[in-house]
Amino acid sequence: MNVDHEVELLVREIKRLGKEGANGKYSVTFGVLFNDDQCANIFEALVGTLRAAKRKKILSYDGELLLQGVHDNVVVSLL
């Protein structure tokens, strides 16, 4: 898969799993994304796709690299 396509899929999954805030933007915690069975089947490298989307300024989260367990409560927000 190409990166742009995976980023589009990631946006769709964040909207499916996340909640829409008062600002109209969706957000979800990394733990919810990482532990979701559908996401696990779609993304071979979820962390890499998150980093690519962050570089493209499609989403934001604190830190550079998210690790399962340690960063489960980090909020990932669509921009």
Side-chain angles (χ1 to χ4, degrees):
M1 280 190 184
N2 69 36
V3 175
D4 290 333
H5 179 66
E6 285 206 10
V7 169
E8 287 175 22
L9 293 174
L10 180 60
V11 169
R12 186 183 74 201
E13 293 304 306
I14 290 172
K15 287 182 178 179
R16 179 178 68 85
L17 295 169
K19 293 184 173 44
E20 186 174 8
N23 59 3
K25 297 179 182 178
Y26 286 85
S27 61
V28 65
T29 62
F30 175 67
V32 170
L33 276 175
F34 192 88
N35 293 313
D36 182 71
D37 289 337
Q38 189 169 331
C39 283
N41 290 330
I42 294 172
F43 303 106
E44 190 171 313
L46 176 61
V47 173
T49 305
L50 285 165
R51 290 184 72 192
K54 185 175 181 179
R55 278 194 304 268
K56 293 175 178 268
K57 300 193 185 319
I58 293 171
L59 55 80
S60 68
Y61 55 85
D62 291 337
E64 286 295 314
L65 180 66
L66 299 176
L67 301 173
Q68 194 264 334
V70 178
H71 298 112
D72 283 354
N73 294 322
V74 172
V75 176
V76 178
S77 302
L78 293 177
L79 298 176

